[in-house]
Amino acid sequence: MPDSPTTAAPPHRKEPGTQQPLAKGGNASLGTEPTTVRITATGAPVDVSAVLLTGSGKVRGNHDLVFYNHPHQDGVGAGSDTITADLTRIPEDIHKIAVIVSIDLEARPTTVFDARTTWRADITQASGTALSFKPPPFTAGETVTIAVELYRHGPVWKTRAVGQGYNTGLAGLATDYGIDIDA
């Protein structure tokens, strides 16, 4: 008698709702489909934004900063706590999308990221990708952090858990990425 067909899920698939945690510096492959990065913060209100970066690690222009006042650019959108990236619509000259978490200094002018003021990034795709990253506590007075990056690796997209902070605020991050904050 022939073997009966099985309906079990492929061994590489996780159960729905199961998240794979990433360690700082860790990376994982993504499917080429819309991707959501949701930030959950505790201890202070935060702003979530994205920066579209070329192969040189710089923006093409100030329009590559996606945030509440410029919520859409080339397949990347910003919501109150979420960045969405339709990876099929990202222009070929964009190699990386950095997801940024910054403390809302208008609401809490003296707050910094530390053991009490933290965030977690959840990266999801409709095909079942579910990743999470919570960085270790920041200790140097950081008010802005690069949470994760979505980046091209040859023909595929991947994500990297970054967790790098800036104690120089948005000005320091803008300078590193070539954003003209005086414009």
Side-chain angles (χ1 to χ4, degrees):
M1 179 169 207
D3 291 337
S4 61
T6 179
T7 59
H12 67 280
R13 302 286 291 193
K14 293 192 170 286
E15 292 297 317
T18 302
Q19 286 192 324
Q20 174 188 343
L22 292 173
K24 185 172 179 171
N27 59 41
S29 294
L30 297 172
T32 304
E33 63 184 292
T35 303
T36 300
V37 180
R38 181 172 182 266
I39 302 296
T40 305
T42 59
V46 298
D47 292 320
V48 179
S49 56
V51 183
L52 285 67
L53 301 165
T54 64
S56 68
K58 304 288 185 188
V59 296
R60 298 169 296 182
N62 284 353
H63 61 278
D64 283 339
L65 173 60
V66 182
F67 67 114
Y68 56 87
N69 278 342
H70 178 66
H72 301 284
Q73 181 68 39
D74 291 333
V76 177
S80 61
D81 64 353
T82 304
I83 296 296
T84 56
D86 184 344
L87 301 179
T88 63
R89 294 185 50 221
I90 306 301
E92 288 295 319
D93 60 341
I94 296 300
H95 293 251
K96 187 184 308 180
I97 302 161
V99 177
I100 310 301
V101 182
S102 54
I103 292 176
D104 181 351
L105 294 175
E106 289 182 10
R108 298 265 178 97
T110 60
T111 303
V112 297
F113 287 112
D114 57 19
R116 292 181 312 272
T117 304
T118 63
W119 54 261
R120 185 183 88 204
D122 294 306
I123 303 125
T124 58
Q125 294 184 308
S127 64
T129 298
L131 306 163
S132 65
F133 170 55
K134 182 173 173 110
F138 293 94
T139 60
E142 295 92 344
T143 59
V144 175
T145 62
I146 305 167
V148 298
E149 294 171 338
L150 309 178
Y151 66 98
R152 292 182 198 270
H153 184 74
V156 300
W157 282 90
K158 297 182 88 171
T159 187
R160 178 180 301 116
V162 179
Q164 174 187 335
Y166 285 79
N167 61 10
T168 53
L170 287 171
L173 178 116
T175 298
D176 281 358
Y177 285 151
I179 300 168
D180 183 0
I181 58 175
D182 295 326

